[in-house]
Amino acid sequence: EARVEARLKARGQSVATHTSEAAALREVYRLAAEKHILHGDFELIADDGEHVLVGDLLDNPPKWHNRRFHDPLEPEYGGSDPRICWANLRAAGRPYLHSHAHGGVRYELHRARRTIKVEPGQRVALAQRVLELMRLDGGVFDRGDELVRVSENGSIQPLGLQGLLVEMDRLAAWTKYNLTQKKDVPCDAPRPVAEAILSMRGDWRLPRLKAVCPTPIMEPATGRIIDTDGHDAGTDLCLLLGDLRGWPGVPETPTTAQLAAAVKVLWRPFEAFPFVSALDRGVYFSALLTGVIRPALETAPAFMIGSPTAGSGKTLLSTCAGILAGDDEVSPMSGVGDDAEIEKRLLAFGRTGARVLLVDNLNGTFASDPLCSFLTSSTFRGRPLGVTDQISVPTRMLTLINGNNTLIKGDLCRRVLGCRIDPQDAAPWRRSFALDPAEYCRSRRLELVAAALTIIRAGQSAKMPASGFASFEAWNSTVRRAVCHVADLGLLDVADPAGAVDTAYSRDPETAKLGALLEAWFSVFSERPTTVGEVIKRVDIAIEGEREFALKSALAEITGDDRLNPRKIGRWLERQADRIVDEMRFVQCGKKDNVNLWRCELLL
């Protein structure tokens, strides 16, 4: 009550004569005390003693962001230095004041709503007015082809028409003239204005959003560590960091000793897992680093964790990688169907800004054209359920695959890096760990993320890997480079994760089929151009001959039937054209009677 009286007195008013103003101020202080909400008329004391309203802070973020203040409710709290509050005005539309008094309290900052009058013929002008308020508020983003808002838990919520109408009501109080009452009366946000805003795609001039990060992250191109809440204009990332009191920071130029310490910290939860080889450790180590930096990478490979039996720890390893990537609970995508189903689910995951995609419990062989495109493109385009138009979503999520003796095939082989664990135990699910890896990662996430960023930053000064990695150039120069640097220094028994591509191709059923066909075809026709029809005729009329029999068997593997279909074989050859296996490849070399001629070319 004393603060109400003081505020009114400063305005030249009194409680006795200005009862409505006093009541409004009491409500402002009640919301501050009970709900920890500071409205625009709430007065604060800045670090230099200046008295300033919350509304002034929100209207001038460059001046007040990161400034210190007295505690809102007890300005004298803290004795000789009462500046115990910190203002974060770039927190993705949810600016707040954090006071370290009373064990730590976070106060949300809300500005008073503007009033907008709906008038005929002003739809475009009203749409521009709403967009101006959105830019000032900072809570709505342009993400590809949609307007989105970031939720409290960091998920991305597409607004759509109804969501935009709610947002417009949140931003402004709408009125229109009522002929009967002969005055302006309250109304809901007008639908035509919302439709106009949605139709202005490309002209919103709102901050763009590529991903949401719950922990600090590094910009790959510059090595800059981003550790401030809110939208980062340089990367179009939105950071929702919360309490960073446990953040140890990242050295500007890590020494070898600091790098060794970071490797030890990051690998500690995973020491007991039975990785088969240095390559397997290198792949998983790169998955950990990738998860931490994935929102800043345009593209990155997926990672597959395999084992010979269930209960080996694949899901636990995926969960831990997901925690470091920012998802405390990873939601698996199990029971994958055909490519159309996979495409819909990829769009759904990408649209909500999921940080981790886990394809779980795969068996046998796995291939997916949509996943191939998803992994090597910065955006993925399609039509989600319930949406009329196609949309594009960023693909910046850590992609993990789990399975028992799963083989990937075709184009996925160069996009998925596989690692393997083998507990060599008939009942591996009965094992116990000295520490709970998942809980350890949750409770020490900031420490582990700092270690990962230290490792990546240390790799920036190391030599580049001898070979490149097509489609994943930024990942190659950050994550892969860091893993190879750790391996070169002998700080952990890991190998270049790119070696997993060769392993995948060596196990790929399609590669095996192509190699067998090349060898058998060459043994019969050498490098002579031949049509598929001639090949089939040759093996069909051959009464005996091991070479013809081997060629017919190789062709039957492709068609899945002893009755050889020339069209099916021709289409398969078109897909495999110029692909080299064992220094041989098929080359299309003209036509004969309007039919493709094929030649098996020896490259030695």
Side-chain angles (χ1 to χ4, degrees), residues 243-572:
D243 188 356
L244 283 183
R245 282 178 288 180
W247 174 243
V250 178
E252 189 70 29
T253 307
T255 64
T256 302
Q258 289 171 324
L259 173 59
V263 171
K264 185 175 181 180
V265 166
L266 183 60
W267 194 247
R268 190 188 171 199
F270 313 107
E271 292 173 342
F273 283 90
F275 290 97
V276 174
S277 69
L279 175 59
D280 299 296
R281 277 185 292 276
V283 168
Y284 186 71
F285 193 68
S286 67
L288 297 175
L289 300 183
T290 301
V292 169
I293 201 176
R294 184 64 183 94
L297 296 171
E298 293 282 343
T299 59
F303 301 90
M304 184 172 73
I305 305 172
S307 72
T309 183
S312 299
K314 301 181 297 296
T315 300
L316 181 55
L317 284 171
S318 296
T319 298
C320 291
I323 291 170
L324 296 190
D327 276 354
D328 281 341
E329 298 295 336
V330 178
S331 299
M333 185 174 82
S334 56
V336 294
D338 58 17
D339 277 354
E341 175 67 19
I342 291 174
E343 179 180 337
K344 291 177 184 177
R345 295 171 81 169
L346 289 174
L347 277 170
F349 271 81
R351 198 176 181 213
T352 59
R355 286 179 277 274
V356 180
L357 168 66
L358 172 59
V359 184
D360 203 14
N361 290 325
L362 287 181
N363 293 292
T365 59
F366 176 62
S368 168
D369 289 341
L371 185 57
C372 282
S373 176
F374 186 87
L375 291 172
T376 52
S377 303
S378 59
T379 58
F380 188 68
R381 192 165 187 83
R383 183 179 292 109
L385 290 174
V387 177
T388 304
D389 299 326
Q390 283 198 337
I391 65 168
S392 62
V393 296
T395 59
R396 301 186 179 212
M397 64 182 76
L398 175 65
T399 304
L400 303 170
I401 300 171
N402 282 348
N404 296 322
N405 289 327
T406 303
L407 293 177
I408 53 175
K409 66 178 184 177
D411 290 340
L412 270 183
C413 288
R414 75 171 185 87
R415 293 167 166 89
V416 179
L417 305 181
C419 67
R420 188 172 174 83
I421 54 174
D422 185 359
Q424 300 185 7
D425 188 332
W429 53 88
R430 295 176 182 169
R431 293 173 302 152
S432 60
F433 293 90
L435 58 80
D436 181 337
E439 184 54 38
Y440 187 91
C441 290
R442 287 191 189 96
S443 63
R444 300 180 179 236
R445 178 158 58 190
L446 285 177
E447 179 185 1
L448 294 171
V449 167
L453 292 178
T454 299
I455 295 166
I456 295 172
R457 181 175 258 185
Q460 296 295 86
S461 61
K463 65 179 181 180
M464 285 287 290
S467 61
F469 208 128
S471 302
F472 307 118
E473 289 80 6
W475 179 88
N476 184 67
S477 64
T478 51
V479 174
R480 183 188 173 203
R481 187 179 186 178
V483 176
C484 291
H485 186 46
V486 169
D488 290 342
L489 295 177
L491 301 178
L492 186 68
D493 186 17
V494 293
D496 181 355
V501 174
D502 295 332
T503 301
Y505 273 122
S506 70
R507 297 172 178 172
D508 173 30
E510 292 295 295
T511 302
K513 290 177 185 178
L514 178 58
L517 182 59
L518 283 164
E519 183 178 350
W521 188 301
F522 188 81
S523 70
V524 175
F525 297 101
S526 187
E527 294 190 85
R528 178 167 63 86
T530 315
T531 65
V532 171
E534 291 172 338
V535 173
I536 293 175
K537 183 177 180 181
R538 174 72 176 266
V539 298
D540 277 345
I541 64 173
I543 300 175
E544 58 181 295
E546 292 184 5
R547 292 180 299 174
E548 286 79 6
F549 180 79
L551 179 55
K552 185 173 184 178
S553 298
L555 292 169
E557 279 291 314
I558 293 167
T559 61
D561 194 334
D562 285 338
R563 292 172 296 181
L564 304 180
N565 185 315
R567 286 187 178 181
K568 190 171 184 178
I569 295 171
R571 287 194 296 268
W572 190 88

